[in-house]
Amino acid sequence: MNNYKMRAIVLAIAASLAAGCGGGSDGTGSGTTPGNTSAPAPGSAGSTPAPGGSSAPDPAGSTPDPAGSATPTTKATTWNSVKWGGGGYVSGLVFHPSTANLLYARTDIGGAYRWNQATSSWTPITDGLGFGAAESKYHGIESIAVDPNNDQLVYMATGMYTFEGNGRLYISSDRGDHWTHVDLPFPLGGNNSGRAIGERLMVDPNKPSTLFFGSRTAGLWKSTDSGKTWSQVTALSSLKMTQDQVNAVGGSAMGVELVVYDTGTKGSGTATQTIYTAVAPDYAGAAGLGSSMYKSTDGGTSWSPVATPVSGYHIPHMVRAADGMFYVVFTKDAGPGAGGPGRLYKFDGSSWTLLKSVDPAGGTNFGLGGVSVHGSGATTRIALGVTNSWGNWNGQQIVQLSDNAGATWREVEAAMPGESASGWVDDVEIDPSNRDHILHVHGGGIIETRNASSATPTWLGAITNIEETATQAIVTPPAAAPYKFINSAGDIGTWLQTDVASKPTLAPNANWSNGNTADMAWADPLYIAGAGVANWSGAGGFGFWSGDGGKTWADFATLPAGAQANIGSAASLVVPSRNNIVWAPANSVPSYSTNSGASWTATNLPALPVVGQNWDRGYHLAADRKNPNKVYAYDSGGATWGTPGKFYVSTDGGHSFSLSQGSVTASLAPSAFWTTSMAVNPNAEGDLWLADGNTVYHSVDSGANWTKLNTFAAGAGTQGASLIALGKAASGAKYSAAIYVVGTINGVWGVHRSDDAGVSWTRFNDDAHQFGGIGVMAADHNTYGRIYVSGTGRGLLYSN
């Protein structure tokens, strides 16, 4: 799943370019497609503040101070995840070898989690300090390592993509509750291809101050001071691949893939002398290395090649049994869902014994991924993941199990009771404290069995509190509507959430799709329309509507110009009233329909100039909630190097628009679609708010004039103001709505709230709740102080 991330890689590259031009570099999204990614998060990377701005009186007897102010009031200090469950790629699982039930999960773009045995759920451990908007790329977790001697100590190597620059090593002495970090001298690729390979980071069990890390582009690295400083192991290779060399191997190098210590002891105080490392074909070729495996017998001072039974293959996993026997996976492709041929060998340090083979046959292309062992000798239990084997039927291979060191095998997941999760079985783990407990990763999270020895093991998802869906748009209805919000998300499509604690059930379809945008008629919220991408069929863009609050749905009979081909998430759709829809597909002139999509007519809004190759832009649309004849359109300029933002007004339901000269006078900053937003006050006609990436503007006359609030300004790597949402007002407040802005005040990024039309502001979130940046936001109209936000790869969360 997660085809939307193929769109997102473009946006992430675009964000990297924007960073060089004063633009953003953060990411949102959730992951499962090879070479995929995340879209830049609208909390990140500042741009130049716009000058000037015009003034207008404020409604409700409150006049905003353009200089603004910040006063302390109540924060939202508790947050919960909106229930979906999984939804993205968990790329690796790491057990502590001796402490029961201590298990970590790393994800490609959604940070990391720790298992909580008491609640049978996962605890997110990368939501707080060190993972703000300017640090969202560190939500891509390349590798996790534990200290076998100290179950409190955990290390985490992070960085979303190698092209984004060098990564970080995070260090925690309390199992991930708090982190410090050091900057690494090489890049990481937690969401690049081959992201389940490893583990790349390993702690020496005998001398835990020594760590090795296998990098993607710069060879093998070593630290002798618990990760604080690092030096390249030039005895293996001194090559640091250039971007041209990385591009030559497909843009996503695998490099040095893993490190394994050959020892059965721990805590001796003397560094382990025998170490193995695996080298991918791309780095081996660039560095002139003749083997895919190397061995050191002097603690990493020197290295010699190991003759392997196959060449030109990846070694995604290699594990050591208690008797010193190694079990080594070879597979042709890097993954996720690595295609074959695939081989599993047993290796005693000198000779190899073939245990399992898969070869392309009959239209299949199975590979081998994860491997884990328990016990030793002739009764060693081996769990082996068969990757790229999609489907669940009798005779299929998903997880193969051997209880005799690989002499014979049986399938333990396909056609078994409960659930199944084929395809991306790129990491499999046998619980060190319970050989009947086996888990593996997949494109939607984690699945496990706790009765592996049974003839028919039962498998169930182990995803409680893992939320890695990627919301691309969210909209809340008026108070008392029968649903909380409409969630338009990558991969999972569009859903109406009626209960934040339960997985939603109302959707236009349950197929693999992207939801890009949706809206409801404010005076008639049972009428809903939305648009997205039909991933399941490859048909491109499509749209849909419901007249009964999501109980039944129909697709639009026709599509407007540009909708089928322009499938990016820089799209917007609004519903002024029942049957009336205005749709702005990405990179397209908006069109309107008066008959629920039976026919469409183009508006007179100007075509949007291209600002960069493969760079989506689009119009933000908003319908006035008091006067359905008024519809607003905002062109953000497309990029920081684009044209100044412009605002357009329609008084005929979105059929024709006029440029607001006041928006021209205001000199709205040029910014990307995803670092800007617009909101209407549903309680007052013509009362509009706009975040242009740099700051906030307010209009009370339908956009004719704009007041600039100077409260917000770009910080170190963060936007001044990227998201704005209005919700239920505080009791007795002067202004009829509470205003929430994702942005930076006095150098502090976060969610900021105003109850007095922007006169004063207080930070609404805190350092413990940053979620790797915030990509979308909506405010509740039933409950004051409740907002819904998306973190970077963290699904949706709501404030309490």
Side-chain angles (χ1 to χ4, degrees):
M1 51 190 301
N2 287 52
N3 180 66
Y4 87 95
K5 293 177 69 181
M6 301 195 65
R7 177 272 313 172
I9 185 73
V10 173
L11 296 184
I13 294 171
S16 179
L17 294 172
C21 303
S25 62
D26 282 299
T28 63
S30 152
T32 54
T33 297
N36 56 16
T37 117
S38 57
S44 63
S47 51
T48 304
S54 57
S55 300
D58 192 67
S62 174
T63 303
D65 172 11
S69 60
T71 57
T73 59
T74 303
K75 294 182 178 182
T77 55
T78 60
W79 297 75
N80 291 94
S81 289
V82 175
K83 178 70 173 180
W84 173 267
Y89 186 39
V90 175
S91 48
L93 299 167
V94 176
F95 273 100
H96 193 275
S98 57
T99 299
N101 303 313
L102 181 52
L103 169 63
Y104 298 92
R106 59 179 173 93
T107 75
D108 51 5
I109 68 165
Y113 294 81
R114 184 185 66 239
W115 177 250
N116 185 330
Q117 180 68 12
T119 60
S120 295
S121 65
W122 294 90
T123 299
I125 55 176
T126 51
D127 281 350
L129 278 173
F131 302 96
E135 301 162 302
S136 65
K137 69 179 181 180
Y138 304 117
H139 255 210
I141 313 300
E142 180 91 286
S143 192
I144 289 177
V146 296
D147 182 345
N149 305 275
N150 178 357
D151 66 7
Q152 299 294 309
L153 188 58
V154 59
Y155 299 89
M156 189 167 62
T158 71
M160 198 86 73
Y161 306 102
T162 56
F163 71 77
E164 290 182 306
N166 291 342
R168 279 182 179 175
L169 179 73
Y170 286 85
I171 306 167
S172 175
S173 58
D174 56 10
R175 299 185 178 181
D177 287 341
H178 303 87
W179 298 96
T180 60
H181 71 264
V182 297
D183 294 329
L184 293 172
F186 45 82
L188 286 85
N191 197 39
N192 281 122
S193 297
R195 50 197 179 273
I197 287 172
E199 290 294 315
R200 296 175 179 270
L201 179 66
M202 293 298 291
V203 177
D204 187 335
N206 287 303
K207 192 173 184 180
S209 58
T210 296
L211 291 81
F212 280 90
F213 185 85
S215 77
R216 286 178 174 265
T217 64
L220 183 64
W221 291 73
K222 180 179 181 180
S223 172
T224 58
D225 55 8
S226 301
K228 296 179 181 64
T229 62
W230 291 83
S231 59
Q232 189 183 37
V233 182
T234 56
L236 180 65
S237 173
S238 60
L239 174 66
K240 298 177 182 178
M241 296 175 72
T242 65
Q243 189 60 51
D244 285 344
Q245 287 175 307
V246 174
N247 293 342
V249 297
S252 189
M254 301 302 113
V256 177
E257 297 180 309
L258 54 80
V259 176
V260 178
Y261 294 97
D262 186 5
T263 181
T265 62
K266 65 178 183 178
S268 70
T270 301
T272 302
Q273 295 300 292
T274 302
I275 311 168
Y276 290 92
T277 191
V279 182
D282 51 30
Y283 189 81
L289 298 174
S291 179
S292 58
M293 181 179 290
Y294 282 80
K295 177 180 181 179
S296 175
T297 57
D298 53 13
T301 300
S302 63
W303 296 82
S304 57
V306 176
T308 56
V310 295
S311 60
Y313 283 47
H314 294 279
I315 302 178
H317 293 281
M318 173 178 177
V319 294
R320 183 185 187 276
D323 58 2
M325 189 67 69
F326 291 96
Y327 295 84
V328 186
V329 173
F330 295 85
T331 202
K332 188 65 176 177
D333 297 335
R343 303 284 185 266
L344 175 68
Y345 282 88
K346 180 166 60 175
F347 177 55
D348 64 5
S350 59
S351 60
W352 298 85
T353 303
L354 180 64
L355 302 180
K356 178 75 173 176
S357 295
V358 290
D359 290 285
T364 67
N365 184 24
F366 295 177
L368 297 180
V371 65
S372 184
V373 298
H374 192 285
S376 62
T379 59
T380 300
R381 168 166 281 188
I382 311 169
L384 178 66
V386 182
T387 71
N388 208 39
S389 60
W390 300 94
N392 178 32
W393 57 82
N394 190 27
Q396 172 68 304
Q397 297 183 66
I398 303 175
V399 174
Q400 294 274 291
L401 191 69
S402 174
D403 281 319
N404 52 16
T408 60
W409 298 88
R410 66 184 177 100
E411 173 59 32
V412 291
E413 182 173 341
M416 297 299 167
E419 304 172 20
S420 71
S422 61
W424 287 15
V425 193
D426 299 304
D427 187 29
V428 174
E429 299 295 333
I430 303 174
D431 186 337
S433 63
N434 178 4
R435 68 194 297 268
D436 278 342
H437 182 205
I438 299 176
L439 310 87
H440 72 78
V441 306
H442 63 96
I446 302 166
I447 194 169
E448 67 178 4
T449 180
R450 292 182 177 268
N451 61 336
S453 295
S454 167
T456 55
T458 300
W459 292 81
L460 296 171
I463 53 175
T464 301
N465 212 37
I466 287 181
E467 297 292 343
E468 209 190 346
T469 57
T471 293
Q472 304 187 118
I474 182 172
V475 60
T476 49
Y483 52 94
K484 302 290 187 184
F485 55 81
I486 307 172
N487 176 14
S488 301
D491 288 339
I492 64 172
T494 301
W495 294 84
L496 272 66
Q497 196 93 27
T498 59
D499 179 358
V500 292
S502 300
K503 188 168 183 174
T505 59
L506 300 178
N509 64 71
N511 295 327
W512 176 33
S513 64
N514 293 355
N516 283 341
T517 178
D519 194 25
M520 78 294 294
W522 197 256
D524 185 6
L526 296 183
Y527 186 84
I528 300 160
V533 187
N535 295 330
W536 74 89
S537 66
F542 78 118
F544 40 84
W545 65 279
S546 172
D548 54 12
K551 295 177 183 177
T552 61
W553 297 83
D555 287 350
F556 295 155
T558 63
L559 296 177
Q564 187 171 37
N566 292 307
I567 60 176
S569 64
S572 188
L573 178 151
V574 294
V575 179
S577 59
R578 181 174 280 261
N579 300 322
N580 291 294
I581 303 161
V582 188
W583 182 4
N587 308 306
S588 303
V589 172
S591 296
Y592 67 88
S593 175
T594 59
N595 49 23
S596 296
S599 62
W600 296 89
T601 304
T603 69
N604 66 333
L605 284 165
L608 297 174
V610 175
V611 294
Q613 186 178 9
N614 297 322
W615 182 286
D616 284 336
R617 65 180 297 183
Y619 283 98
H620 291 281
L621 299 177
D624 196 292
R625 300 310 199 182
K626 284 292 187 180
N627 184 347
N629 289 320
K630 289 185 177 179
V631 177
Y632 310 107
Y634 166 44
D635 166 24
S636 69
T640 54
W641 58 88
T643 55
K646 293 183 177 66
F647 189 86
Y648 300 84
V649 182
S650 172
T651 58
D652 58 5
H655 300 183
S656 61
F657 289 81
S658 299
L659 174 65
S660 161
Q661 289 300 321
S663 71
V664 177
T665 303
S667 298
L668 305 177
S671 296
F673 180 91
W674 50 86
T675 60
T676 56
S677 68
M678 175 173 54
V680 299
N681 183 353
N683 307 302
E685 181 179 339
D687 188 5
L688 310 173
W689 294 83
L690 187 150
D692 74 344
N694 285 343
T695 191
V696 171
Y697 291 83
H698 184 201
S699 174
V700 295
D701 53 11
S702 300
N705 298 281
W706 294 90
T707 298
K708 178 182 179 181
L709 277 66
N710 295 320
T711 315
F712 298 88
T718 60
Q719 294 284 339
S722 58
L723 292 171
I724 190 163
L726 273 64
K728 183 177 180 178
S731 178
K734 295 179 181 179
Y735 186 60
S736 57
I739 310 162
Y740 303 86
V741 172
V742 174
T744 307
I745 296 178
N746 297 327
V748 178
W749 174 87
V751 181
H752 303 275
R753 182 181 66 193
S754 175
D755 293 321
D756 53 15
V759 174
S760 60
W761 296 87
T762 181
R763 188 180 179 196
F764 185 65
N765 70 324
D766 57 21
D767 287 346
H769 302 93
Q770 301 190 72
F771 313 122
I774 293 174
V776 301
M777 177 175 65
D780 195 272
H781 297 281
N782 291 280
T783 304
Y784 169 69
R786 171 155 295 178
I787 62 172
Y788 306 95
V789 301
S790 71
T792 296
R794 279 285 286 115
L796 281 172
L797 302 109
Y798 63 93
S799 59
N800 294 301

